Amino acid sequence: MNDDFNSPPGNSGHTGSPNAGWERATIEKLLFAQLKEQQAARRWRLFSRLLWLGVFGAVAWFIYNAENMNASVSTPHTAVIDIKGEIASGAEASAENVVASLHSAFEDEGAQAVVLLIDSPGGSPVQAGIINDEITRLKALHGKKVYAVVEETCASAAYYIAAAADDIYVDKASLVGSIGVLMDGFGFTGLMDKLGVERRLMTAGANKAMLDPFSPQDETQKAYIQAMLGEIHTQFITVVKKGRGTRLKETPDTFSGLVWNGQQAVAMGLADGLGNLDHVAREVVKAEDIVDYTQRENVGLRLAKQFGVSIGQGFYKAAAGAGVQLR
């Protein structure tokens, strides 16, 4: 029998056949071609990822800087900055955000004047003081006018800021004033007595536990806090008198913490006239185009930053007081 019929499949039985070299060369070419295709595919995937990363980076940069693009406006316009909600560190109307907005507005040569669009019940005297001081400094540095326009409310710390403006405009029904200082909190001693709970507190320093909500109020410490609030109130009054000057028609109630409507505020010299943003831009600044310079933090980012401390802060404020407030 012919040995070729006994050879394994695919084996011709002639190891020295020329076909064997041709097959090997063909297989090698196919393997190299496949390897090159795989390398090209990997390079393309890497390029695609880098391309998308660049696109996402460009989009993120655009979103982050979109609010600042108004700073490039050079044609004559009225610059507006929103001061809304609580004036506090970490809030939208924080000194950090408002001061950054002020810098952008004052440094733009096209901005003919700066308008503070206010709707706030007040907040931190520290934050308000920083903003007031910076407005005064920038006005002297750039020689531009600043106008405050009140929407619903301009009370306490908000009025502390408005006092730095050259003129204040209100609506006849706006709420203006509340020039006073407060520090609030709670006391739980009576409830603890009813529940039979004993407060065990150890301190180093006679006043370390001052105004502890679970201990009886100490009259000496109370007098100390009251004196401190009085000093802050005096600082507030000084700022208002400096800002309003001879326009202020002071009465015994002016600095008592009362609030007035817009018409009353104008009559008392706490405001200069009735008018909204459009009126001030058109009739006072003489630049009808309005450009918003307000620095607004991304809501998601702000919530993420605040979430970690909100629970502890909420309990602390309820138990120990929310700190000194101009409200």
Side-chain angles (χ1 to χ4, degrees):
M1 183 181 292
N2 193 327
D3 290 338
D4 287 343
F5 290 97
N6 295 324
S7 299
N11 187 347
S12 64
H14 301 286
T15 58
S17 172
N19 290 336
W22 178 85
E23 291 175 353
R24 186 165 51 249
T26 302
I27 292 172
E28 289 177 353
K29 290 180 179 178
L30 290 173
L31 289 175
F32 279 121
Q34 185 178 10
L35 180 60
K36 288 181 178 180
E37 287 180 2
Q38 291 175 348
Q39 290 175 339
R42 282 196 297 267
R43 284 195 295 268
W44 173 250
R45 284 197 299 269
L46 179 61
F47 173 77
S48 298
R49 291 170 182 171
L50 291 174
L51 179 63
W52 279 111
L53 182 62
V55 170
F56 286 135
V59 171
W61 179 89
F62 178 80
I63 293 173
Y64 181 80
N65 291 278
E67 293 172 357
N68 299 327
M69 287 185 178
N70 286 332
S72 64
V73 177
S74 58
T75 56
H77 61 274
T78 297
V80 64
I81 298 170
D82 282 345
I83 300 178
K84 296 187 176 181
E86 183 182 10
I87 298 165
S89 177
E92 194 165 298
S94 67
E96 179 183 7
N97 289 342
V98 175
V99 167
S101 303
L102 288 168
H103 286 176
S104 297
F106 272 98
E107 290 168 5
D108 192 323
E109 295 182 358
Q112 305 302 294
V114 179
V115 174
L116 307 174
L117 189 60
I118 300 175
D119 185 3
S120 169
S124 164
V126 175
Q127 297 291 304
I130 293 171
I131 297 170
N132 182 289
D133 291 343
E134 192 64 8
I135 292 171
T136 302
R137 186 185 75 84
L138 291 172
K139 282 167 56 178
L141 179 64
H142 295 278
K144 293 183 180 181
K145 294 281 189 179
V146 174
Y147 302 101
V149 174
V150 180
E151 292 187 323
E152 302 291 337
T153 306
C154 180
S156 293
Y159 192 79
Y160 194 119
I161 294 171
D166 293 282
D167 291 308
I168 301 174
Y169 293 88
V170 298
D171 182 84
K172 57 183 177 297
S174 299
L175 298 179
V176 182
S178 187
I179 302 172
V181 186
L182 66 81
M183 175 182 285
D184 58 356
F186 297 92
F188 300 100
T189 53
L191 178 61
M192 291 172 64
D193 291 340
K194 289 182 179 180
L195 295 176
V197 178
E198 179 186 2
R199 171 69 162 162
R200 295 176 179 176
L201 176 65
M202 294 177 288
T203 64
N207 296 303
K208 185 62 179 177
M210 188 184 306
L211 299 183
D212 173 51
F214 300 102
S215 301
Q217 193 171 50
D218 182 279
E219 291 301 321
T220 302
Q221 294 176 348
K222 178 182 177 182
Y224 176 84
I225 293 296
Q226 190 62 56
M228 182 182 68
L229 295 178
E231 290 179 3
I232 297 174
H233 191 204
T234 299
Q235 295 169 4
F236 193 176
I237 293 171
T238 301
V239 166
V240 172
K241 287 184 175 181
K242 179 182 177 182
R244 300 305 298 165
T246 57
R247 293 171 291 182
L248 185 65
K249 300 175 179 62
E250 185 177 346
T251 71
D253 292 330
T254 301
F255 304 116
S256 67
L258 286 176
V259 64
W260 295 273
N261 65 40
Q263 285 183 322
Q264 292 171 321
V266 172
M268 297 175 64
L270 292 172
D272 297 283
L274 303 179
N276 59 20
L277 174 60
D278 290 333
H279 168 82
V280 172
R282 182 179 62 253
E283 304 297 336
V284 181
V285 182
K286 307 296 184 183
E288 291 190 49
D289 290 338
I290 297 172
V291 178
D292 189 355
Y293 287 80
T294 308
Q295 299 277 333
R296 292 184 175 86
E297 186 177 26
N298 179 273
V299 175
L301 179 60
R302 173 158 48 88
L303 290 176
K305 291 197 298 185
Q306 292 178 347
F307 180 76
V309 296
S310 60
I311 297 176
Q313 275 187 338
F315 176 77
Y316 177 80
K317 288 181 179 180
V324 178
Q325 297 285 311
L326 295 184
R327 286 186 178 175

